[in-house]
Amino acid sequence: NFSLLLLIFALPVFDMFRVICQRLINAKSPFYPDRNHIHHILINKGLGYKRTISSLYFISLFFNTIAAFTVFT
């Protein structure tokens, strides 16, 4: 089921989509490397490496829990 896969990969898909759109709006190649990914933004805002990783793990766990409940119900 496509919606199930989208829930499991919600965070990386959202981040990729957001960064590609931002690059296209700024007239840059979608393949051009930059520091606009979610983890870079959180670290640059002073969250720190460990707290950034913990936050992203929690968000992924949230979406994966929703996906698990949709499969088993």
Side-chain angles (χ1 to χ4, degrees), residues 24-59:
L24 291 174
I25 288 169
N26 293 330
K28 295 192 176 185
S29 169
F31 306 108
Y32 182 77
D34 57 17
R35 296 184 56 88
N36 288 327
H37 287 280
I38 293 173
H39 61 280
H40 291 298
I41 293 170
L42 293 175
I43 289 171
N44 291 341
K45 292 210 182 258
L47 206 57
Y49 179 77
K50 287 183 180 181
R51 189 170 282 181
T52 295
I53 297 302
S54 297
S55 300
L56 295 177
Y57 279 159
F58 178 75
I59 293 168

Side-chain angles (χ1 to χ4, degrees), residues 9-30:
F9 295 108
L11 184 62
V13 168
F14 168 74
D15 186 41
M16 179 186 67
F17 181 74
R18 185 187 60 78
V19 170
I20 288 174
C21 288
Q22 195 172 38
R23 289 176 186 167
L24 291 174
I25 288 169
N26 293 330
K28 295 192 176 185
S29 169

